[in-house]
Amino acid sequence: MSAFERVAERVRGWPPVAVDAGIAGVCWVNALIQAAVNERLVWWIPLVAAVASAGLMVRRRFPFEATIVVGATTVPLAWGDAMGDLPPAQLVATYTFAALCPPLERLILSVGTVCGIVASILPDEKVLNLGLVGIAFTAAYALGTGARARRDRIAMLEERAARLAEEQDAAATRERERIAREMHDILAHSMSMVVIQAEAGPVAVRSDPAKAEEVFDTISETAREALAQLRRALGVLRSEEVSRRPAPGLAALPALVDDVRRAGLAVTLEEAGERRDVPSDLGVTAYRIVQEALTNTVKHAEAGSARVRLSWRDRGLRLEISDDGRGPGAPGGGGHGLVGMRERVAAAGGELETGAGSGGTGYRVAATLPLD
């Protein structure tokens, strides 16, 4: 690193007020030296030069006003031979308004600066200096424009980073909500089946030992499947390898219905129309809707039978789960399960209907999921 670069690095670490004070002091001393060299150091030159320097002190907060003050004082100082051919204060002001002012103010100040340059040079018949002065002021303006472009780019990158952070937070929130829905569906269904089978176990042990063995096998199988599904649902929270078993979809509905039948509810599974391939996420949504509806039936409806019907349509899949239980007034049936179903259906772009079954008997859940 060169000596100039080291000095520039130190200056960048100074407070802006200290930098502006140093620039103002250099410009004021330069005016006094120029006037003294030209033997024109009269009483008013230090005062006017001080006003110009004071304008540079506020150039960051009020670039438009500071440039006007500096320009208004530079012309008389030039006429008094106190500025030399290149007025440093006006060059700093040009850089400042190019970097900080909006377009209209930049246009006004640019025209004013050109007029000031012409007014300062022509009376002294220094027309040949117009080229050198023009190049200097053009360079100052270009440096200010570059600083403005650099600042705008930094602001754009910061805004983009903030927007990306917001999108990541939103994605994390959606993922947490998805995991919460998955865990609710898994635990609500599996634990309901386990509780029902466990309650029936003691009775079966006394009356039918073979049936009791089947009950306990069902409890074990249901618990293992729940653990496997929980591992899949929570796998996104861990970096290590998790089970590669696919998430349950439409193909898993018969097994789900069999589990519910073993819990004592007579369930029928019907399908109408020509089955088509569906995306895996839509299959999971359909499976969870059926699972949650049957779980609510087992837990709250006191139903003896239920029906699951899949209807394949031209542009969608319609699911209907109905039972012959107590209907919408069943206690405990309005918890997070229905909310989770609505969120799943809404995320898939479908529609969900819930309420009393046909003829006002039982409860019905109907979901329409688009396939295109």
Side-chain angles (χ1 to χ4, degrees), residues 39-282:
E39 298 181 354
R40 298 291 299 272
L41 187 58
V42 295
W43 64 270
W44 58 270
I45 286 193
L47 296 178
V48 176
V51 173
S53 301
L56 294 178
M57 290 288 292
V58 296
R59 67 187 183 92
R60 298 177 194 267
R61 294 183 58 188
F62 308 103
F64 184 80
E65 294 81 358
T67 302
I68 292 177
V69 171
V70 173
T73 53
T74 297
V75 173
L77 288 174
W79 289 345
D81 288 336
M83 297 300 294
D85 294 332
L86 296 176
Q90 190 61 44
L91 289 172
V92 174
T94 300
Y95 168 87
T96 301
F97 81 73
L100 301 178
C101 286
L104 180 58
E105 293 184 357
R106 290 202 301 270
L107 177 61
I108 295 173
L109 294 176
S110 296
V111 173
T113 300
V114 172
C115 295
I117 293 172
V118 173
S120 301
I121 292 179
L122 289 183
D124 291 337
E125 298 180 352
K126 296 179 180 179
V127 180
L128 295 178
N129 291 338
L130 275 175
L132 176 62
V133 174
I135 292 173
F137 275 90
T138 300
Y141 188 90
L143 290 173
T145 301
R148 185 180 70 253
R150 204 162 46 245
R151 187 178 63 253
D152 292 344
R153 178 170 177 79
I154 291 173
M156 180 192 68
L157 293 175
E158 290 176 348
E159 181 183 358
R160 184 181 299 175
R163 188 165 59 248
L164 179 60
E166 292 176 358
E167 292 174 355
Q168 290 175 341
D169 291 341
T173 300
R174 290 194 299 270
E175 186 64 14
R176 287 194 296 268
E177 292 173 351
R178 185 193 68 80
I179 293 173
R181 287 196 302 269
E182 288 286 324
M183 292 183 65
H184 173 272
D185 292 344
I186 294 168
L187 293 175
H189 172 75
S190 302
M191 293 302 101
S192 296
M193 298 299 104
V194 169
V195 169
I196 291 172
Q197 295 290 335
E199 289 176 346
V203 178
V205 167
R206 290 192 296 269
S207 59
D208 189 350
K211 178 67 175 178
E213 184 177 349
E214 180 181 346
V215 167
F216 291 128
D217 288 342
T218 301
I219 291 174
S220 176
E221 181 181 346
T222 303
R224 281 197 297 268
E225 178 62 24
L227 287 174
Q229 293 190 35
L230 283 174
R231 290 192 187 98
R232 287 197 297 271
L234 298 175
V236 294
L237 302 180
R238 302 193 303 268
S239 59
E240 63 266 18
E241 190 77 12
V242 296
S243 173
R244 293 184 178 274
R245 292 180 57 187
L250 294 178
L253 287 180
L256 173 65
V257 170
D258 290 340
D259 288 342
V260 178
R261 285 199 192 106
R262 285 196 292 267
L265 181 66
V267 186
T268 59
L269 177 61
E270 302 175 3
E271 190 168 357
E274 183 180 354
R275 174 177 283 218
R276 300 197 298 276
D277 292 335
V278 298
S280 59
D281 57 338
L282 194 64

